[in-house]
Amino acid sequence: MNKINGFTHYSFFTEMSELALKHGSFDLSLGLPDFDIDERLTTFLKEAADSGHHNYEPLAGNPLLIANIIQYNAKRVHGIVLQSDEITIVPCATFALHTALKTILNQGDEVIIIQPSYYTYAPSVVMNNAIPVYYNLNDDFTMDWERFRQCISGKTKAIIINSPQNPTGKIWKRKDWGQLYELIKYQEIYLISEEIYDTYCYDEIEHYSSFLHPELRKRTFCIFSFGKMFHTSGWKVSYMMASKELTSLFQTHQQYISYGANATAQYALTKYLEVFDPAVSKKVMQRKRDLFNELILETPLLVEQKSEGSVFQVVNFRNISKTMSDVEFSIWLTTEKKVACLPLSAFYHSKQNSDYIRFSFAKTDEVIIQALEHLKKNL
């Protein structure tokens, strides 16, 4: 328990929103959308409730939902061919990551975490009696493969990767997966690949899954989120791809923890996948990214690299303050300038400061415009 209590960076994710609410600030700190979901989802959810979908689905998930996931993934630009015994419906991405680690780890194993990273990764490793090993991306958030190689030891059992990445918006390309495989191909190292922002890849970039690499596929738990895809995080339904063998091992653990996911929501998601157009969703979110980046040009804040994917934009604040830490700056911006953000150091285990803050553009256009106009006038 004491080991888990040592992880405190999660507090930023609640404290900044609480500060925003207390000070009447525009809240761009979290990736929670403030706009309505597609009304068809609401209709399908009501249909599910009215037609009595209230009992357990099978351990693997609603068979019709699994069939639609197979069809959906086959239609991607970089199509993924799947079998039904390679898919598990799970309560959420965090559950999938934690249970995947439980499936493969023994006490004292090492797990490499690429930073900046989401705050749940390291605690999940520690709760599974393993040891986090932290690799920090370059200053421009790219990989240094030689330096990464040095993180791999005889105790390395898994690597956690997030693409598109929260918070940097970086996307792993086909060559990146190939490079990773070359480093681990002679060792039993598994990959936990969290690809929950897969529908939000911008400009000419298309999502390329780790599961497309023929060799990595055999050792990968690949996690996706309906909550991120459809802005329904409270429904608590995600899905995971893994080989038949790893899926069976995963489900052996899952049956004793959650068993299944929300049955009523699974029905609604089954129906919605039949009408969902990812190109429309991508277009909407890319427009919000572009709106954010267009307006921030009128402030002293600096975008060094446009987000390639996800719903987040990293921004350099050093034109405004050379002395404040990123935590101090985030609090100041939220309380004094009335626009909430997160410090990038919240995404590192030990880093106490950075030159960057993170904003979310998963907001209504009105909120984005009002927040950035407010910063233009007050910075």
Side-chain angles (χ1 to χ4, degrees):
M1 181 183 295
N2 289 336
K3 291 181 180 179
I4 297 304
N5 288 340
F7 292 100
T8 59
H9 278 184
Y10 77 91
S11 62
F12 287 112
F13 293 78
T14 55
E15 288 175 4
M16 300 311 293
S17 279
E18 290 170 357
L19 279 176
L21 182 62
K22 179 180 178 180
H23 291 270
S25 305
F26 297 102
D27 191 357
L28 306 187
S29 66
L30 300 181
L32 299 175
D34 62 355
F35 45 83
D36 292 335
I37 64 173
D38 189 327
E39 62 183 12
R40 292 174 294 181
L41 274 165
T42 307
T43 299
F44 292 141
L45 189 64
K46 184 177 185 300
E47 181 180 312
D50 290 343
S51 56
H53 289 267
H54 303 298
N55 294 318
Y56 292 123
E57 291 290 355
L59 174 63
N62 183 316
L64 293 177
L65 178 55
I66 290 173
N68 284 353
I69 289 171
I70 291 172
Q71 290 187 30
Y72 171 78
N73 280 281
K75 293 177 181 177
R76 293 178 185 269
V77 172
H78 300 297
I80 306 172
V81 178
L82 293 162
Q83 304 299 318
S84 59
D85 55 10
E86 296 177 314
I87 300 170
T88 307
I89 309 302
V90 292
C92 64
T94 299
F95 170 89
L97 180 138
H98 185 83
T99 307
L101 290 171
K102 184 174 290 295
T103 301
I104 58 174
L105 292 178
N106 295 308
Q107 186 166 356
D109 285 342
E110 294 179 352
V111 179
I112 299 174
I113 299 172
I114 298 173
Q115 297 188 128
S117 66
Y118 195 53
Y119 72 90
T120 62
Y121 294 173
S124 285
V125 172
V126 170
M127 284 191 285
N128 281 295
N129 297 310
I131 301 167
V133 174
Y134 301 99
Y135 167 81
N136 290 353
L137 291 170
N138 292 332
D139 291 341
D140 61 353
F141 306 123
T142 57
M143 292 287 291
D144 180 330
W145 289 106
E146 184 54 40
R147 191 161 54 81
F148 182 79
R149 183 198 298 270
Q150 296 170 18
C151 293
I152 301 172
S153 75
K155 294 183 178 181
T156 304
K157 194 61 174 290
I159 301 168
I160 301 175
I161 294 171
N162 176 209
S163 175
Q165 202 217 30
N166 173 15
T168 69
K170 286 289 189 179
I171 295 175
W172 277 51
K173 318 301 192 299
R174 180 175 184 169
K175 65 182 181 187
D176 296 311
W177 300 118
Q179 182 72 55
L180 175 66
Y181 177 68
E182 289 302 312
L183 294 182
I184 67 173
K185 64 182 178 181
Y186 296 120
Q187 192 172 337
E188 186 189 0
I189 297 176
Y190 295 90
L191 177 62
I192 315 294
S193 184
E194 195 175 63
E195 302 177 20
I196 62 177
Y197 294 104
D198 61 303
T199 49
Y200 306 124
C201 297
Y202 306 128
D203 303 320
E204 303 305 315
I205 302 174
E206 294 289 346
H207 179 255
Y208 195 93
S209 175
S210 59
F211 218 62
L212 288 167
H213 190 286
E215 296 301 325
L216 285 179
R217 180 178 179 132
K218 300 173 185 177
R219 53 170 85 182
T220 294
F221 298 89
C222 194
I223 303 167
F224 296 86
S225 170
F226 289 123
K228 303 303 183 188
M229 288 172 66
F230 306 143
H231 315 300
T232 55
S233 56
W235 288 18
K236 304 302 287 183
V237 183
S238 296
Y239 70 97
M240 187 195 73
M241 305 173 186
S243 69
K244 177 181 178 181
E245 293 73 22
L246 289 180
T247 296
S248 178
L249 290 172
F250 179 94
Q251 291 177 4
T252 298
H253 289 275
Q254 179 189 6
Q255 67 181 321
Y256 300 120
I257 306 173
S258 72
Y259 188 76
N262 185 326
T264 311
Q266 285 191 59
Y267 174 93
L269 293 166
T270 300
K271 301 284 284 186
Y272 189 65
L273 267 182
E274 296 170 2
V275 298
F276 173 66
D277 184 351
V280 173
S281 183
K282 170 182 175 177
K283 183 178 180 181
V284 168
M285 204 59 71
Q286 181 170 324
R287 179 174 50 77
K288 291 180 182 296
R289 182 208 61 170
D290 292 344
L291 176 64
F292 178 92
N293 279 284
E294 177 186 341
L295 294 175
I296 208 165
L297 288 172
E298 301 176 12
T299 77
L301 294 166
L302 177 63
V303 172
E304 296 175 346
Q305 302 178 71
K306 274 189 179 182
S307 175
E308 294 179 333
S310 82
V311 297
F312 305 108
Q313 180 64 60
V314 170
V315 175
N316 189 312
F317 66 88
R318 289 302 177 194
N319 285 339
I320 299 172
S321 174
K322 297 289 194 291
T323 58
M324 280 193 278
S325 70
D326 61 352
V327 172
E328 292 168 338
F329 184 86
S330 297
I331 293 171
W332 174 78
L333 197 73
T334 301
T335 59
E336 301 297 325
K337 300 304 176 181
K338 309 302 183 186
V339 177
C341 61
L342 284 181
L344 202 71
S345 61
F347 297 85
Y348 289 84
H349 173 64
S350 58
K351 201 167 188 175
Q352 301 304 311
N353 193 13
S354 78
D355 295 336
Y356 300 97
I357 53 178
R358 188 205 74 175
F359 291 104
S360 167
F361 50 81
K363 308 297 175 184
T364 63
D365 290 358
E366 290 77 14
V367 167
I368 294 171
I369 292 169
Q370 291 170 12
L372 271 295
E373 286 292 328
H374 188 78
L375 290 181
K376 175 183 174 181
K377 295 175 182 176
N378 291 281
L379 286 179

